[in-house]
Each structure stands twice: as structure tokens, then as C-alpha cells.
Amino acid sequence: MATPREIAVAAEQRDIRNRWLLSSPALIIIFLAAIGPLFVVLLYSFMLKGDYGDVKPWQFSSDGWFGVFLQRDIFDDTLTIADAHISIFWRSVKLSLVTTLVTLFLGFPTAYFIATRPPQRRDIWLFLVTIPFWTNILIRTFAMQEVIRNEGIVNSVMIWIGLISAPVQIMFTDWAILFGMAYVYLPLMVLPLYASMEKIDFRLVEAGYDLYATRLQVLWRIIIPLVKPGIIAGSILVFIPSLGAYVTPRVLGGGKNMMLGNLIELQFGQGRNWPLGAALSITLMIIVTFALLVYVRNASKSGGSHG
Amino acid sequence: MKWKLTAALAGAAFFAAAGTAHAEGELNIYNWGNYTSPEMIKKFEEAYKVKVTITDYDSNDTALAKVRAGGHGFDIVVPSASFVQIWVKEGLLLESRPDQMENFKNVDERWVNLDWDPGRHYSVPWLWGLMGTVVDTSIYKGDINTSAIWLDPPPELVGKINVAPEMTDVMYSAIRYMGGKWCTDDKEVLKKVRDKLIEAKPKWIAMDYGTIEKFASRDYAAAFYWNGAAMRSREQNKDVRFGYPKEGFAYFMDSAAILKDAKNPDNAKLFLNFIMDPENAAMISNFAKYANGIKGSQPFMDPAMKDAPELNVPAEFQAAGEFLTTCSPEVTDIYAKIWQQLLK
């Protein structure tokens, strides 16, 4: 006779087995569609480059990885740090960080505004935030050109109200890239911020005022600590795609300065150096994983404090 | 007897429709996007009862990678001059001997004996063009037939120049401008080339595709760009002129060839012969706005293109033009590194 405890254990085991069975299609798809190709990328990064693109199959070499960080000078053959790659990496990281900050500063009040509306009207505001997702990013970026062109909307309005006398060059500058990326990624910041603000018990804010806290103190000591998981989630959601951004720098930045996405594309196209391209892609992934680790660590810390 | 005519037309339409429905064969063309005249394809389909499918690519490297991967199902591909030899060396093309085809007599002698397909054993000219300087002459009135327009720009043009992000053409023009030869590995010359490019870059506004509307809106005053696009810019801004750089300019020519593993090689051969007919070649030109390599196509071309100064290289500049060969992997590697330093 099985004891009730044994029956419970068996039921639990069956339950676990069923869960695995039910999730296996998803796991197989993840393995085939995500991890499998990644493995190919990793493999390619260790092969010898083919003469006209592609790789020489099963001829291994560390040239690709070597090229990520170091280069042999084309003129005097000395070994130096690959400064071109490093400045492109740095530009990407810098622009992504600034984009994250800009979207945070714009998104925070927006999310606060939505979260403090009466519940039945919040859905309408959220719906408005998601409208840009209905249109393809390429089309939105080209529309942005129309806004910031020398004879575009921004310049015409500024000239009309007499703020400036000649058009300001915004197109094809880093400002244009920043402008475009902040626009594209703003909803990704607003939504997680809203999700954590919605849960705030606003009686805490009232309590803060009752105890003579200033507005700044309420924001800094009550609201921000409670919204922290949303800030982190939003920042990650904006930072990671910004790092690999390809369309916006290409269309608004005028292509004069590469970002990481463009550098990788060059290796698979005109540069004909697939192993280097593969190694650069993996380097980008390592940076992203690192950013995610920081997130997970912070999330578990703040998650412990208030569920 | 109007009803008879109507009946006859209806009958003809019926048979034509039945003809395409029961197409005797297929042809799969793999070509650059927005490059194949639908009118010409329709004519071919009706003449040979073949159903044509067109698939686009956006770069030579993309096309090569896809065909090399296998399982593509294409019959015809249209690589650029500098890539034809790679396709041949990689064993991807069928030696279809277009030079023995009936319409080969129409091919302009200028485009027959070329380094990348001597005597045309593999490929047939599709369209050709070149990269040169495009200048808004209401802003700059000096000599435009020089690469100095974008490598040593006059003050009027500084900050208003777009350079097409084409590694090969930019490197070629800069090397010729500094007195070198294409595919050179002379470190002295290459150092000057790199320094010149890096010195010139802050004077450019962009390195981008799509110049036609930007000349119309006067966002650009000059460009290093293709001649066909220059002609279309002129149609929208009458001050735009195209210059043939005297230091040297590179032709491009895309040529149609049959893939070795084509499923419909006979239809593909019919097609190669078909596009060497002057009227059909003119259809391709009229659609894509570039010149073709077929003699006698001129009368069938759009009036605006027939005498366009952008499409007809003046005799005095013809000697400065050449086709680019594919450099050795070592040299390509050096050029790619200079290019990366330029775009960093």
C-alpha cells in the first residue's frame, strides 16, 4: 500500500513529467531557431575566411577573434589595438546609453501621468502609446527625415516663429540618430515603467506629504524606489536593441559613421570577412549578456524587498 | 463590322490567356531589385510561352552567398563585372556561349572583349553605367570633371556633398586621384589615399544611397554617384550636371548569365538571346534608366534618354574609364581596413 506521502510524490513526479512534455515543442523551437544558429555563428568565428566571402569549411583559425581587438597596421606591420573597432563600439555604447537616459527622462513623467489617471481611462492612454508599433520602423524613420530635414517641419517652424534665421543642420548628425532612436524606443520605456507605477499604493505618497516631505523627497524616497524594477526593465529593453540598431543610424545618420550593426554588416558584405563578422556579433552578445546579468542581479535584490 | 473585330480580339485574348495558363516552361531570374522591365518580361512570356519569376537581391555578395548555399532554383543571375570571374572560378556559371547565339551580332564591340569574360562565353550585357561627380551648377560653377569635387572640395560645396558608400568605387577613385593603379598594394600610395580620404570626410555631409530627391530639395549640392541617378536628378533640378572625372572613373556593367545548376537552361538561353535584341534591350534601359550594350537600341529608347549627356560618354573622356577587376584577397583586405578607418 502506498502511503499518502508516496502518492503525493508520484503525483508530483507525473506533474513534472507532464510539464516537460507540454513545454517540449517550445523548447525544441528555441533550440532549433535560436541556439542552433548561434552555435553556427560561434563555429564560423573560428574558421578561416573564404577568398570571396563565406568561410573555408573546417579550417580553423583564431584570425576572426584576433581581428576584433587587435590589428596588424597596414603600413608598418606593427601590432596595435583595433582602434577603428573600439571607437565604433564606444560610439554604439555611448549613443545607446544616452538614448536610454533620454527615454527615461521622457518616459517617466509619461508613465506617471498614465498611472495617475482614473483606471478606466488608463487603457486609452496605453493604447495611444502602442500606436507607433503599427507602422514599420523603416517607414517611421523615413517619416522622421521629413521632420528634421533642412526644409522640414522643425526647421520651418523655428524659422517661422523667428527662433533662427537659417535652417539648422540636424539631419546626418549624431543628434539625428539620437532623436530617431529616442522616438523609436520610447514606448519600450513607458510600458514597463507604467507596469510598476500602476502597482504603487499612492497612499504612501500622501503619507509622505503628511510627514512634511517635499515633492522632491517624495519622488526620490518613495516613488523611485518603488518603480526601480520598471526603470531597470525599461532601460534594458531600450539599451539592448539600441546597441544593435542598424536602420536608424543608416537612414538618419547619413552613414558617415558606423555603429556596431553597420560594422557587422560590412564584414558579411563588402569586407568579405565572415569570421570577423561572426566574432563581432558574439562580442556584441557578450556585452548584452553582461547588461542582462546586471539587470537580473538588481531585479532579484529589489524583488526581495517588496515582492 | 465592329463586332467581328471585337470577337477576334476576344478570341486572341482568350488564346493568349490560355497560352500563359498552359505555359510550356518556366524561367527563374535572380536579379537586382527594381532592375527588370516588366514590359520586356511580358513580351518574353508571350513570345515563348514561358512563365517568368523574378527574385530580387540587393548586393553581389548576397547573390553569391545565396547561390553558393545551393537549393536556390534560379536559372539566370545578373552579376556585376567585378564578380563575373568569381562566379566562373567558383564553378557556378554555365558556359552557355552567348557569342554563338543569333543576336550576338548586335552586341557593341566595346563590350565584347573584356577581361572578366573575354569573347563573352558566359554572359550577356544587361546594363552599364559609371560613377562620377554630380554637381548642382547653380552653387558651384567650376570644372566638374574631376574627383577633386569630393576629394578636395571647393569651399562652395563643403558640407553639402554625398559620397555613395561603395567601398570599391570610393577606393578606386581615391587611388587614381593620388596617382595609383587599381589593386595596387603600394604602401606609399595607399597611405596617401587613406590620408586624403580621412582629410576629405569631414567636408561631406553623408555617405548614403538615394540622392535624387535630395538634389531636388537642395539638401545636397554635390555627390559621387551613378550616372543614371544623375540624369534623374537633373529631371527634378535642372541645374544638376554629371561630371566624368579625368583622373579616372570606373564603369560598372551587370551581365546576365546562366547558372550551372539551372533547371531550365533552354529557356535561359532563349532569354539571353532575347535581351540581345535592340528593341528588348531598350525596354530594359527605359525601365532602369541606364544604357545597355546593344547596338541599334537607340531608336527604341525614351527621347529623354537618347541624347542624355549622362548616358553617352563624350569621346574626350572615354579613355579615362575602365572596368574594375577583382583584387586579390590580400589587397581587398587592405582596402577594407582603410575603409573601416574611414567610417570609424
Side-chain angles (χ1 to χ4, degrees):
Chain A
M1 270 286 274
T3 65
R5 188 181 157 72
E6 280 168 345
I7 292 172
V9 168
E12 198 176 317
Q13 278 173 346
R14 198 167 51 237
D15 198 34
I16 290 172
R17 202 172 54 227
N18 282 346
R19 262 187 250 166
W20 273 106
L21 266 174
L22 285 173
S23 54
S24 60
L27 288 175
I28 289 171
I29 287 174
I30 288 174
F31 185 80
L32 288 182
I35 299 173
L38 269 182
F39 187 70
V40 175
V41 175
L42 185 66
L43 204 62
Y44 268 38
S45 74
F46 283 107
M47 286 194 202
L48 212 57
K49 70 170 179 153
D51 286 350
Y52 306 108
D54 215 332
V55 291
K56 292 186 173 142
W58 310 114
Q59 295 186 33
F60 292 98
S61 147
S62 58
D63 284 359
W65 281 98
F66 177 82
V68 173
F69 306 106
L70 296 170
Q71 65 181 10
R72 217 167 269 291
D73 192 280
I74 29 183
F75 299 118
D76 53 23
D77 220 36
T78 52
L79 206 58
T80 51
I81 288 170
D83 64 321
H85 294 171
I86 284 165
S87 43
I88 292 166
F89 265 87
W90 174 233
R91 175 179 305 109
S92 297
V93 170
K94 194 172 61 184
L95 259 169
S96 306
L97 280 175
V98 178
T99 305
T100 312
L101 283 178
V102 168
T103 52
L104 182 61
F105 275 103
L106 293 176
F108 195 91
T110 316
Y112 186 81
F113 174 81
I114 300 174
T116 50
R117 291 311 95 186
Q120 65 274 21
R121 267 195 269 154
R122 289 179 200 165
D123 290 343
I124 299 175
W125 289 106
L126 276 184
F127 170 75
L128 289 177
V129 169
T130 56
I131 281 184
F133 289 125
W134 297 3
T135 312
N136 180 288
I137 179 178
L138 196 62
I139 294 169
R140 282 188 280 147
T141 313
F142 273 100
M144 188 62 92
Q145 275 197 345
E146 235 13 74
V147 176
I148 61 176
R149 256 171 8 95
N150 280 3
E151 289 164 21
I153 299 169
V154 169
N155 271 313
S156 314
V157 169
M158 286 205 294
I159 291 175
W160 186 66
I161 60 173
L163 215 57
I164 47 172
S165 56
V168 179
Q169 183 71 47
I170 313 172
M171 264 297 269
F172 310 128
T173 62
D174 281 358
W175 292 107
I177 304 181
L178 184 63
F179 195 57
M181 297 220 299
Y183 160 68
V184 168
Y185 295 124
L186 188 58
L188 296 181
M189 181 60 95
V190 172
L191 296 177
L193 278 179
Y194 166 77
S196 53
M197 272 191 204
E198 191 202 31
K199 284 189 236 135
I200 294 184
D201 185 348
F202 279 94
R203 287 175 304 182
L204 290 172
V205 176
E206 284 165 26
Y209 285 132
D210 285 348
L211 297 169
Y212 300 103
T214 60
R215 283 167 161 267
L216 200 66
Q217 279 174 318
V218 167
L219 176 71
W220 200 251
R221 306 277 298 267
I222 300 174
I223 298 176
I224 289 184
L226 289 175
V227 184
K228 199 176 155 200
I231 295 178
I232 296 170
S235 306
I236 293 287
L237 277 181
V238 172
F239 182 73
I240 290 175
S242 303
L243 259 188
Y246 175 79
V247 171
T248 317
R250 183 73 183 266
V251 174
L252 297 179
K256 263 174 77 180
N257 293 306
M258 281 195 266
M259 298 261 286
L260 264 176
N262 315 84
L263 176 67
I264 292 171
E265 191 252 350
L266 173 71
Q267 307 310 330
F268 288 98
Q270 298 183 66
R272 289 185 206 145
N273 197 340
W274 289 24
L276 177 59
L280 284 168
S281 310
I282 290 174
T283 313
L284 175 61
M285 279 186 50
I286 292 172
I287 299 180
V288 168
T289 314
F290 185 73
L292 270 176
L293 277 179
V294 172
Y295 164 65
V296 170
R297 179 170 291 182
N298 274 307
S300 60
K301 239 191 268 168
S302 54
S305 60
H306 60 89
Chain B
M1 297 284 167
K2 203 172 175 195
W3 66 271
K4 265 192 183 167
L5 182 67
T6 315
L9 279 177
F14 175 78
F15 284 113
T20 37
H22 299 113
E24 282 169 27
E26 291 180 20
L27 181 67
N28 293 303
I29 300 175
Y30 193 34
N31 197 356
W32 297 84
N34 210 6
Y35 211 41
T36 320
S37 156
E39 196 193 350
M40 181 270 295
I41 291 297
K42 196 158 166 265
K43 187 177 165 193
F44 179 77
E45 284 184 324
E46 279 165 10
Y48 296 99
K49 307 276 176 284
V50 164
K51 169 134 186 43
V52 177
T53 312
I54 299 165
T55 311
D56 291 352
Y57 54 81
D58 58 2
S59 78
N60 279 302
D61 292 287
T62 313
L64 183 63
K66 187 158 179 182
V67 169
R68 195 156 43 185
H72 47 79
F74 302 125
D75 301 307
I76 297 243
V77 70
V78 190
S80 302
S82 59
F83 272 71
V84 170
Q85 271 305 308
I86 301 178
W87 287 82
V88 171
K89 273 188 201 144
E90 302 257 317
L92 298 169
L93 296 187
L94 182 78
E95 195 171 0
S96 60
R97 296 308 296 260
D99 57 319
Q100 293 169 0
M101 290 180 188
E102 188 196 339
N103 282 338
F104 190 76
K105 58 182 187 298
N106 297 323
V107 176
D108 191 328
E109 292 79 13
R110 271 161 81 195
W111 312 122
V112 172
N113 272 309
L114 300 159
D115 293 345
W116 37 274
D117 189 5
R120 293 279 180 186
H121 289 194
Y122 292 91
S123 68
V124 164
W126 183 266
L127 292 177
W128 65 270
L130 60 108
M131 257 182 153
T133 54
V134 191
V135 178
D136 186 331
T137 52
S138 69
I139 293 167
Y140 176 67
K141 304 202 184 323
D143 180 17
I144 64 167
N145 293 308
T146 165
S147 297
I149 289 289
W150 57 280
L151 283 169
D152 274 315
E156 298 96 304
L157 297 177
V158 169
K160 292 172 187 157
I161 302 166
N162 178 54
V163 174
E166 290 284 323
M167 182 178 105
T168 312
D169 296 85
V170 168
M171 285 301 296
Y172 168 80
S173 299
I175 289 171
R176 292 304 307 264
Y177 188 71
M178 301 318 293
K181 279 211 159 58
W182 180 235
C183 287
T184 179
D185 59 354
D186 180 341
K187 297 282 160 73
E188 285 300 302
V189 174
L190 289 176
K191 202 166 200 159
K192 279 195 256 171
V193 165
R194 182 195 63 179
D195 295 345
K196 177 53 77 186
L197 284 170
I198 287 176
E199 173 202 315
K201 188 187 164 198
K203 299 172 187 165
W204 307 338
I205 184 171
M207 295 180 72
D208 206 357
Y209 299 106
T211 64
I212 297 167
E213 66 284 352
K214 297 211 178 72
F215 271 103
S217 63
R218 304 201 184 236
D219 280 325
Y220 295 161
F224 173 61
Y225 217 68
W226 288 279
N227 59 337
M231 183 184 74
R232 288 158 78 177
S233 299
R234 176 171 54 81
E235 285 167 358
Q236 294 188 21
N237 173 352
K238 61 177 175 38
D239 297 318
V240 171
R241 292 288 176 277
F242 184 75
Y244 296 89
K246 54 177 171 279
E247 298 86 7
F249 57 83
Y251 286 115
F252 76 82
M253 173 175 265
D254 299 313
S255 297
I258 304 177
L259 289 166
K260 197 168 250 173
D261 51 357
K263 299 223 166 52
N264 309 292
D266 295 328
N267 289 339
K269 280 177 191 163
L270 285 175
F271 186 75
L272 291 193
N273 191 49
F274 182 79
I275 60 171
M276 289 189 283
D277 178 87
E279 197 180 338
N280 303 334
M283 283 178 177
I284 304 178
S285 284
N286 289 339
F287 178 77
K289 309 284 180 196
Y290 280 93
N292 59 68
I294 305 299
K295 280 182 298 191
S297 66
Q298 211 79 345
F300 302 103
M301 300 242 280
D302 283 345
M305 294 176 64
K306 229 184 266 184
D307 307 308
E310 292 90 355
L311 302 189
N312 300 287
V313 187
E316 57 192 297
F317 295 118
Q318 278 184 8
E322 62 181 308
F323 273 101
L324 301 191
T325 48
T326 313
C327 305
S328 69
E330 295 76 33
V331 171
T332 305
D333 209 40
I334 300 177
Y335 291 3
K337 277 182 179 153
I338 295 179
W339 184 244
Q340 273 176 34
Q341 286 188 8
L342 179 66
L343 289 182
K344 78 177 178 193

